Short mmCIF file of all heavy atoms in Angstrom, two decimals:
data_model
loop_
_atom_site.label_atom_id
_atom_site.label_comp_id
_atom_site.label_asym_id
_atom_site.label_seq_id
_atom_site.Cartn_x
_atom_site.Cartn_y
_atom_site.Cartn_z
N ARG A 1086 -120.36 58.38 51.62
CA ARG A 1086 -120.37 59.59 52.49
C ARG A 1086 -121.65 59.65 53.35
O ARG A 1086 -121.85 60.65 54.06
CB ARG A 1086 -120.28 60.84 51.59
CG ARG A 1086 -118.94 60.94 51.00
CD ARG A 1086 -118.82 62.29 50.38
NE ARG A 1086 -117.48 62.32 49.72
CZ ARG A 1086 -116.90 63.44 49.35
NH1 ARG A 1086 -117.55 64.56 49.56
NH2 ARG A 1086 -115.67 63.38 48.77
N SER A 1087 -122.50 58.69 53.25
CA SER A 1087 -123.76 58.73 54.00
C SER A 1087 -123.95 57.40 54.72
O SER A 1087 -124.28 56.41 54.07
CB SER A 1087 -124.93 59.00 53.04
OG SER A 1087 -126.12 58.95 53.74
N ARG A 1088 -123.64 57.36 56.00
CA ARG A 1088 -123.78 56.15 56.74
C ARG A 1088 -125.23 55.83 57.01
O ARG A 1088 -126.02 56.66 57.39
CB ARG A 1088 -123.03 56.27 58.06
CG ARG A 1088 -121.53 56.29 57.90
CD ARG A 1088 -120.83 56.30 59.21
NE ARG A 1088 -119.39 56.37 58.95
CZ ARG A 1088 -118.56 55.45 59.43
NH1 ARG A 1088 -119.03 54.53 60.17
NH2 ARG A 1088 -117.28 55.59 59.16
N PRO A 1089 -125.58 54.53 56.81
CA PRO A 1089 -126.96 54.14 57.16
C PRO A 1089 -127.11 54.06 58.67
O PRO A 1089 -126.16 53.95 59.41
CB PRO A 1089 -127.09 52.78 56.49
CG PRO A 1089 -125.72 52.24 56.42
CD PRO A 1089 -124.81 53.45 56.26
N GLY A 1090 -128.36 53.99 59.14
CA GLY A 1090 -128.63 53.77 60.48
C GLY A 1090 -128.07 52.42 60.99
O GLY A 1090 -127.90 51.49 60.13
N GLN A 1091 -127.80 52.26 62.23
CA GLN A 1091 -127.19 51.04 62.72
C GLN A 1091 -128.04 49.84 62.46
O GLN A 1091 -127.53 48.76 62.09
CB GLN A 1091 -126.93 51.15 64.27
CG GLN A 1091 -125.74 52.03 64.59
CD GLN A 1091 -124.48 51.40 64.11
OE1 GLN A 1091 -124.20 50.21 64.23
NE2 GLN A 1091 -123.59 52.20 63.45
N LEU A 1092 -129.32 49.92 62.64
CA LEU A 1092 -130.21 48.77 62.37
C LEU A 1092 -130.22 48.33 60.97
O LEU A 1092 -130.07 47.14 60.63
CB LEU A 1092 -131.64 49.10 62.82
CG LEU A 1092 -132.67 47.95 62.67
CD1 LEU A 1092 -132.29 46.74 63.49
CD2 LEU A 1092 -134.04 48.43 63.01
N LEU A 1093 -130.30 49.31 60.01
CA LEU A 1093 -130.27 48.97 58.61
C LEU A 1093 -128.91 48.35 58.25
O LEU A 1093 -128.83 47.36 57.52
CB LEU A 1093 -130.51 50.22 57.77
CG LEU A 1093 -130.45 50.01 56.25
CD1 LEU A 1093 -131.47 49.04 55.80
CD2 LEU A 1093 -130.65 51.35 55.56
N TRP A 1094 -127.84 48.90 58.73
CA TRP A 1094 -126.49 48.39 58.42
C TRP A 1094 -126.33 46.96 58.94
O TRP A 1094 -125.87 46.08 58.23
CB TRP A 1094 -125.43 49.33 59.02
CG TRP A 1094 -124.04 48.97 58.79
CD1 TRP A 1094 -123.12 48.67 59.73
CD2 TRP A 1094 -123.36 48.75 57.52
NE1 TRP A 1094 -121.92 48.30 59.09
CE2 TRP A 1094 -122.05 48.39 57.78
CE3 TRP A 1094 -123.77 48.91 56.16
CZ2 TRP A 1094 -121.13 48.12 56.76
CZ3 TRP A 1094 -122.88 48.67 55.18
CH2 TRP A 1094 -121.53 48.29 55.43
N ARG A 1095 -126.72 46.76 60.23
CA ARG A 1095 -126.53 45.45 60.80
C ARG A 1095 -127.40 44.36 60.14
O ARG A 1095 -126.97 43.27 59.90
CB ARG A 1095 -126.81 45.51 62.34
CG ARG A 1095 -125.74 46.20 63.02
CD ARG A 1095 -126.00 46.28 64.52
NE ARG A 1095 -124.92 47.02 65.18
CZ ARG A 1095 -124.92 47.33 66.46
NH1 ARG A 1095 -125.95 46.95 67.23
NH2 ARG A 1095 -123.94 48.02 66.97
N LEU A 1096 -128.67 44.77 59.83
CA LEU A 1096 -129.54 43.78 59.15
C LEU A 1096 -129.00 43.46 57.73
O LEU A 1096 -129.14 42.32 57.29
CB LEU A 1096 -130.96 44.31 59.12
CG LEU A 1096 -131.70 44.25 60.45
CD1 LEU A 1096 -133.04 44.97 60.28
CD2 LEU A 1096 -131.91 42.84 60.90
N THR A 1097 -128.48 44.47 57.04
CA THR A 1097 -127.95 44.18 55.71
C THR A 1097 -126.76 43.28 55.80
O THR A 1097 -126.68 42.29 55.02
CB THR A 1097 -127.53 45.54 55.06
OG1 THR A 1097 -128.62 46.38 54.94
CG2 THR A 1097 -126.87 45.30 53.70
N LEU A 1098 -125.91 43.44 56.72
CA LEU A 1098 -124.75 42.55 56.93
C LEU A 1098 -125.21 41.12 57.30
O LEU A 1098 -124.70 40.15 56.79
CB LEU A 1098 -123.76 43.08 57.95
CG LEU A 1098 -122.98 44.33 57.55
CD1 LEU A 1098 -122.14 44.81 58.72
CD2 LEU A 1098 -122.14 44.09 56.31
N LEU A 1099 -126.16 41.05 58.20
CA LEU A 1099 -126.69 39.73 58.64
C LEU A 1099 -127.32 39.02 57.49
O LEU A 1099 -127.02 37.79 57.24
CB LEU A 1099 -127.69 39.93 59.75
CG LEU A 1099 -128.45 38.66 60.21
CD1 LEU A 1099 -127.48 37.74 60.99
CD2 LEU A 1099 -129.63 39.02 61.10
N LEU A 1100 -128.16 39.67 56.72
CA LEU A 1100 -128.84 39.07 55.62
C LEU A 1100 -127.90 38.73 54.46
O LEU A 1100 -128.13 37.74 53.78
CB LEU A 1100 -130.03 39.89 55.11
CG LEU A 1100 -131.17 39.96 56.10
CD1 LEU A 1100 -132.26 41.01 55.61
CD2 LEU A 1100 -131.81 38.62 56.28
N THR A 1101 -126.84 39.50 54.31
CA THR A 1101 -125.83 39.17 53.35
C THR A 1101 -125.16 37.85 53.73
O THR A 1101 -124.94 36.92 52.87
CB THR A 1101 -124.78 40.30 53.19
OG1 THR A 1101 -125.42 41.46 52.73
CG2 THR A 1101 -123.67 39.92 52.27
N GLY A 1102 -124.81 37.76 55.04
CA GLY A 1102 -124.22 36.49 55.48
C GLY A 1102 -125.11 35.27 55.33
O GLY A 1102 -124.72 34.25 54.86
N VAL A 1103 -126.40 35.45 55.64
CA VAL A 1103 -127.37 34.36 55.49
C VAL A 1103 -127.50 34.02 53.99
O VAL A 1103 -127.53 32.83 53.66
CB VAL A 1103 -128.74 34.76 56.08
CG1 VAL A 1103 -129.80 33.76 55.71
CG2 VAL A 1103 -128.66 34.94 57.60
N THR A 1104 -127.57 35.03 53.14
CA THR A 1104 -127.69 34.73 51.70
C THR A 1104 -126.52 33.94 51.16
O THR A 1104 -126.75 33.02 50.38
CB THR A 1104 -127.82 36.10 50.94
OG1 THR A 1104 -128.93 36.82 51.43
CG2 THR A 1104 -127.94 35.90 49.49
N LEU A 1105 -125.33 34.34 51.61
CA LEU A 1105 -124.12 33.64 51.10
C LEU A 1105 -123.98 32.22 51.66
O LEU A 1105 -123.49 31.29 51.07
CB LEU A 1105 -122.86 34.45 51.40
CG LEU A 1105 -122.76 35.77 50.64
CD1 LEU A 1105 -121.61 36.58 51.14
CD2 LEU A 1105 -122.62 35.46 49.14
N ALA A 1106 -124.51 32.02 52.92
CA ALA A 1106 -124.40 30.74 53.57
C ALA A 1106 -125.51 29.77 53.16
O ALA A 1106 -125.29 28.53 53.16
CB ALA A 1106 -124.43 30.91 55.10
N LEU A 1107 -126.66 30.29 52.79
CA LEU A 1107 -127.80 29.40 52.56
C LEU A 1107 -127.55 28.25 51.59
O LEU A 1107 -128.00 27.11 51.88
CB LEU A 1107 -129.01 30.32 52.08
CG LEU A 1107 -130.33 29.61 52.01
CD1 LEU A 1107 -130.74 29.13 53.44
CD2 LEU A 1107 -131.37 30.61 51.55
N PRO A 1108 -126.89 28.50 50.45
CA PRO A 1108 -126.71 27.36 49.55
C PRO A 1108 -125.88 26.24 50.14
O PRO A 1108 -125.92 25.09 49.63
CB PRO A 1108 -125.97 27.95 48.36
CG PRO A 1108 -126.27 29.40 48.41
CD PRO A 1108 -126.44 29.72 49.84
N TYR A 1109 -125.14 26.45 51.17
CA TYR A 1109 -124.22 25.48 51.75
C TYR A 1109 -124.84 24.81 53.01
O TYR A 1109 -124.24 23.92 53.58
CB TYR A 1109 -122.90 26.12 52.10
CG TYR A 1109 -122.31 26.80 50.87
CD1 TYR A 1109 -122.50 28.16 50.67
CD2 TYR A 1109 -121.57 26.04 49.96
CE1 TYR A 1109 -121.98 28.75 49.51
CE2 TYR A 1109 -121.05 26.64 48.79
CZ TYR A 1109 -121.27 27.96 48.62
OH TYR A 1109 -120.77 28.60 47.48
N LEU A 1110 -125.99 25.31 53.44
CA LEU A 1110 -126.64 24.67 54.58
C LEU A 1110 -127.36 23.34 54.19
O LEU A 1110 -127.89 23.22 53.08
CB LEU A 1110 -127.67 25.64 55.17
CG LEU A 1110 -127.07 26.92 55.70
CD1 LEU A 1110 -128.17 27.90 56.20
CD2 LEU A 1110 -126.03 26.65 56.83
N PRO A 1111 -127.38 22.36 55.10
CA PRO A 1111 -127.89 21.05 54.77
C PRO A 1111 -129.39 21.05 54.26
O PRO A 1111 -129.70 20.33 53.39
CB PRO A 1111 -127.78 20.29 56.08
CG PRO A 1111 -126.77 20.97 56.86
CD PRO A 1111 -126.81 22.41 56.45
N LEU A 1112 -130.23 21.83 54.88
CA LEU A 1112 -131.63 21.80 54.52
C LEU A 1112 -131.97 22.62 53.26
O LEU A 1112 -133.06 22.56 52.74
CB LEU A 1112 -132.49 22.26 55.64
CG LEU A 1112 -132.61 21.31 56.85
CD1 LEU A 1112 -133.47 21.91 57.94
CD2 LEU A 1112 -133.20 20.02 56.37
N SER A 1113 -131.04 23.41 52.79
CA SER A 1113 -131.34 24.28 51.61
C SER A 1113 -131.67 23.53 50.37
O SER A 1113 -132.53 23.96 49.55
CB SER A 1113 -130.21 25.28 51.36
OG SER A 1113 -129.10 24.57 50.84
N HIS A 1114 -131.17 22.37 50.20
CA HIS A 1114 -131.49 21.53 49.07
C HIS A 1114 -132.95 21.02 49.09
O HIS A 1114 -133.72 21.12 48.19
CB HIS A 1114 -130.56 20.35 48.85
CG HIS A 1114 -130.89 19.55 47.65
ND1 HIS A 1114 -130.70 19.97 46.38
CD2 HIS A 1114 -131.41 18.29 47.58
CE1 HIS A 1114 -131.11 19.06 45.52
NE2 HIS A 1114 -131.53 18.02 46.24
N ARG A 1115 -133.30 20.60 50.33
CA ARG A 1115 -134.65 20.08 50.48
C ARG A 1115 -135.71 21.19 50.44
O ARG A 1115 -136.79 21.04 49.83
CB ARG A 1115 -134.80 19.35 51.85
CG ARG A 1115 -134.22 18.05 51.84
CD ARG A 1115 -134.59 17.28 53.11
NE ARG A 1115 -133.88 16.03 53.19
CZ ARG A 1115 -133.88 15.26 54.23
NH1 ARG A 1115 -134.46 15.63 55.33
NH2 ARG A 1115 -133.26 14.12 54.22
N LEU A 1116 -135.41 22.30 51.08
CA LEU A 1116 -136.40 23.40 51.18
C LEU A 1116 -136.50 24.19 49.89
O LEU A 1116 -137.64 24.62 49.51
CB LEU A 1116 -136.07 24.31 52.35
CG LEU A 1116 -136.20 23.68 53.71
CD1 LEU A 1116 -135.67 24.66 54.76
CD2 LEU A 1116 -137.63 23.30 54.01
N PHE A 1117 -135.37 24.50 49.25
CA PHE A 1117 -135.38 25.42 48.12
C PHE A 1117 -134.78 24.85 46.86
O PHE A 1117 -134.78 25.47 45.83
CB PHE A 1117 -134.59 26.70 48.51
CG PHE A 1117 -134.99 27.27 49.73
CD1 PHE A 1117 -134.13 27.26 50.84
CD2 PHE A 1117 -136.17 27.99 49.84
CE1 PHE A 1117 -134.49 27.87 52.05
CE2 PHE A 1117 -136.53 28.59 51.03
CZ PHE A 1117 -135.71 28.49 52.16
N ASP A 1118 -134.33 23.59 46.92
CA ASP A 1118 -133.64 22.95 45.79
C ASP A 1118 -132.40 23.72 45.40
O ASP A 1118 -132.04 23.81 44.22
CB ASP A 1118 -134.61 22.73 44.57
CG ASP A 1118 -134.11 21.72 43.60
OD1 ASP A 1118 -133.31 20.77 44.09
OD2 ASP A 1118 -134.48 21.70 42.47
N PHE A 1119 -131.73 24.33 46.42
CA PHE A 1119 -130.45 25.00 46.14
C PHE A 1119 -129.34 24.00 46.19
O PHE A 1119 -129.46 22.93 46.74
CB PHE A 1119 -130.18 26.11 47.22
CG PHE A 1119 -131.05 27.28 47.08
CD1 PHE A 1119 -131.10 28.19 48.14
CD2 PHE A 1119 -131.80 27.58 45.96
CE1 PHE A 1119 -131.90 29.32 48.07
CE2 PHE A 1119 -132.58 28.70 45.90
CZ PHE A 1119 -132.66 29.58 46.91
N THR A 1120 -128.22 24.40 45.63
CA THR A 1120 -127.03 23.57 45.61
C THR A 1120 -125.83 24.46 45.87
O THR A 1120 -125.84 25.67 45.54
CB THR A 1120 -126.91 22.84 44.20
OG1 THR A 1120 -125.81 21.95 44.25
CG2 THR A 1120 -126.67 23.82 43.13
N PRO A 1121 -124.81 23.92 46.53
CA PRO A 1121 -123.60 24.73 46.73
C PRO A 1121 -123.06 25.29 45.43
O PRO A 1121 -123.01 24.53 44.44
CB PRO A 1121 -122.62 23.81 47.42
CG PRO A 1121 -123.49 22.80 48.09
CD PRO A 1121 -124.73 22.62 47.13
N LEU A 1122 -122.66 26.51 45.42
CA LEU A 1122 -122.12 27.14 44.21
C LEU A 1122 -120.62 26.94 44.12
O LEU A 1122 -119.90 27.15 45.08
CB LEU A 1122 -122.41 28.65 44.18
CG LEU A 1122 -123.87 29.01 44.09
CD1 LEU A 1122 -124.02 30.48 44.32
CD2 LEU A 1122 -124.51 28.58 42.84
N PRO A 1123 -120.14 26.49 42.97
CA PRO A 1123 -118.69 26.39 42.74
C PRO A 1123 -118.08 27.80 42.85
O PRO A 1123 -118.77 28.84 42.71
CB PRO A 1123 -118.57 25.90 41.30
CG PRO A 1123 -119.90 25.32 40.98
CD PRO A 1123 -120.88 26.03 41.78
N VAL A 1124 -116.80 27.84 43.14
CA VAL A 1124 -116.10 29.11 43.41
C VAL A 1124 -116.20 30.03 42.23
O VAL A 1124 -116.47 31.23 42.40
CB VAL A 1124 -114.60 28.82 43.73
CG1 VAL A 1124 -113.79 30.08 43.78
CG2 VAL A 1124 -114.43 28.03 44.99
N MET A 1125 -116.14 29.51 41.03
CA MET A 1125 -116.27 30.35 39.83
C MET A 1125 -117.68 31.02 39.73
O MET A 1125 -117.73 32.20 39.36
CB MET A 1125 -115.99 29.59 38.53
CG MET A 1125 -114.54 29.26 38.36
SD MET A 1125 -113.50 30.78 38.13
CE MET A 1125 -114.17 31.42 36.62
N VAL A 1126 -118.69 30.30 40.00
CA VAL A 1126 -120.00 30.81 39.95
C VAL A 1126 -120.23 31.86 41.01
O VAL A 1126 -120.74 32.95 40.80
CB VAL A 1126 -121.07 29.71 40.06
CG1 VAL A 1126 -122.47 30.29 40.09
CG2 VAL A 1126 -120.93 28.72 38.88
N LEU A 1127 -119.83 31.54 42.26
CA LEU A 1127 -119.92 32.50 43.36
C LEU A 1127 -119.16 33.76 43.07
O LEU A 1127 -119.61 34.88 43.31
CB LEU A 1127 -119.54 31.90 44.71
CG LEU A 1127 -119.71 32.79 45.93
CD1 LEU A 1127 -121.17 33.21 46.07
CD2 LEU A 1127 -119.22 32.04 47.14
N SER A 1128 -117.94 33.62 42.56
CA SER A 1128 -117.11 34.76 42.22
C SER A 1128 -117.81 35.64 41.15
O SER A 1128 -117.80 36.87 41.22
CB SER A 1128 -115.74 34.35 41.71
OG SER A 1128 -115.04 33.68 42.70
N ALA A 1129 -118.37 35.02 40.15
CA ALA A 1129 -119.10 35.73 39.12
C ALA A 1129 -120.28 36.44 39.67
O ALA A 1129 -120.54 37.63 39.34
CB ALA A 1129 -119.49 34.80 38.00
N VAL A 1130 -121.03 35.81 40.55
CA VAL A 1130 -122.22 36.46 41.16
C VAL A 1130 -121.78 37.67 41.97
O VAL A 1130 -122.44 38.76 41.87
CB VAL A 1130 -122.97 35.43 42.03
CG1 VAL A 1130 -123.88 36.10 43.00
CG2 VAL A 1130 -123.68 34.41 41.17
N LEU A 1131 -120.70 37.54 42.76
CA LEU A 1131 -120.20 38.70 43.50
C LEU A 1131 -119.73 39.81 42.63
O LEU A 1131 -119.92 40.98 42.88
CB LEU A 1131 -119.14 38.25 44.45
CG LEU A 1131 -119.57 37.31 45.58
CD1 LEU A 1131 -118.40 36.84 46.41
CD2 LEU A 1131 -120.65 37.91 46.45
#
């Protein structure tokens, strides 16, 4: 019942997308030692 400001809402959506995409990006393994998450793990996290 309380909408956030446009900037907060858009940044939250943008950073959510980046967060979910990061493990699947090519450099994420080298930079952060991340690995793509299997569907079961990602589903559990969500």
Side-chain angles (χ1 to χ4, degrees):
R1086 293 189 181 197
S1087 177
R1088 292 184 180 236
Q1091 285 295 315
L1092 181 61
L1093 178 60
W1094 180 241
R1095 288 179 182 177
L1096 285 174
T1097 299
L1098 291 176
L1099 174 69
L1100 290 172
T1101 297
V1103 170
T1104 301
L1105 293 172
L1107 192 59
Y1109 305 95
L1110 298 176
L1112 288 178
S1113 69
H1114 180 69
R1115 283 188 186 171
L1116 295 175
F1117 308 110
D1118 201 22
F1119 287 166
T1120 185
L1122 295 173
V1124 172
M1125 285 299 294
V1126 175
L1127 184 58
S1128 298
V1130 164
L1131 294 175

